[in-house]
Amino acid sequence: NTLWTFVANEGSFGSNNGTVSMIDEFNEVYETELIGGVVQSIEVYNNKLIVAINVSEKLAIFDISETGLSNWVEVDLSGTPPREIAVVNGRAYVSCWGDSDYNVYGTVPGYLKVVNLETLEVESSIEVGIMPEGLLYDLSNLWVANSGGSTLSKVDVASNTVIETIEVGQGPQNIEINNEDVYVSRRYYDSSWNEFHGSSKISGGNVIIK
């Protein structure tokens, strides 16, 4: 086999039965053993599969070969449930909530955990906004959507510092860039869990909120 498609299976909340499925080029499907509670997201980097496991508050990292996954190791992220992953310069930047004890929204800032994929050590912890979710790297900076608030954090990956915080409207979730304009999808709730949606655009230093 020379081709794998990986699928994150979050499992049942509270059951620690999340897995990853693998589909090979012959359409055969394989599944890992149970790896933890709520598989949130996955990212492939070179010959490694990085798995963010939310409730278990850890990363699982596997080697990828023609026979599948092997050499399972873990990175402890205790106290900061991981959400999304972006790999930049051999490091996994992981958006992590500041706590897991909240009603509708958290009340404390979250973090970008910077994990060296060679040493598997957490090299840095960058404070961003409340409940960070989506990440996007623009070849210079890493953008972070702080879903529990109303901001994007712009992080300089050379210094691992937040260089700008931009108001974009409540509940930013995911980010895309096109022709140097930044587009943001937003989803947010009131105290009764009524759901609302919006979008925003950053263009030439101006923010347009829909």
Side-chain angles (χ1 to χ4, degrees), residues 8-10 20 38-43 49-54 58-60 82-86 94-95:
N9 307 312
E10 67 175 12
V20 172
V38 184
V39 173
Q40 180 72 28
S41 60
I42 55 178
E43 186 74 19
L49 180 71
I50 309 163
V51 186
I53 308 176
N54 178 262
K58 64 183 181 181
L59 297 183
R83 304 296 291 179
E84 303 296 329
I85 307 163
V94 186
S95 56

Side-chain angles (χ1 to χ4, degrees), residues 99-113:
D99 59 45
S100 55
D101 182 18
Y102 62 95
N103 183 13
V104 176
Y105 291 114
T107 57
V108 299
Y111 300 90
L112 273 184
K113 296 289 185 176

Side-chain angles (χ1 to χ4, degrees), residues 69-140:
L69 299 176
S70 61
N71 299 327
W72 172 12
V73 296
E74 295 184 349
V75 178
D76 183 16
L77 300 173
S78 291
T80 53
R83 304 296 291 179
E84 303 296 329
I85 307 163
V87 178
V88 180
N89 300 329
R91 288 165 173 78
Y93 286 76
V94 186
S95 56
C96 296
W97 291 0
D99 59 45
S100 55
D101 182 18
Y102 62 95
N103 183 13
V104 176
Y105 291 114
T107 57
V108 299
Y111 300 90
L112 273 184
K113 296 289 185 176
V114 185
V115 179
N116 186 310
L117 294 175
E118 290 298 322
T119 65
L120 301 182
E121 295 180 347
V122 178
E123 291 185 336
S124 183
S125 185
I126 307 166
E127 184 175 306
V128 287
I130 295 173
M131 297 167 64
E133 286 282 345
L135 304 173
L136 182 67
Y137 180 54
D138 67 3
L139 302 183
S140 297

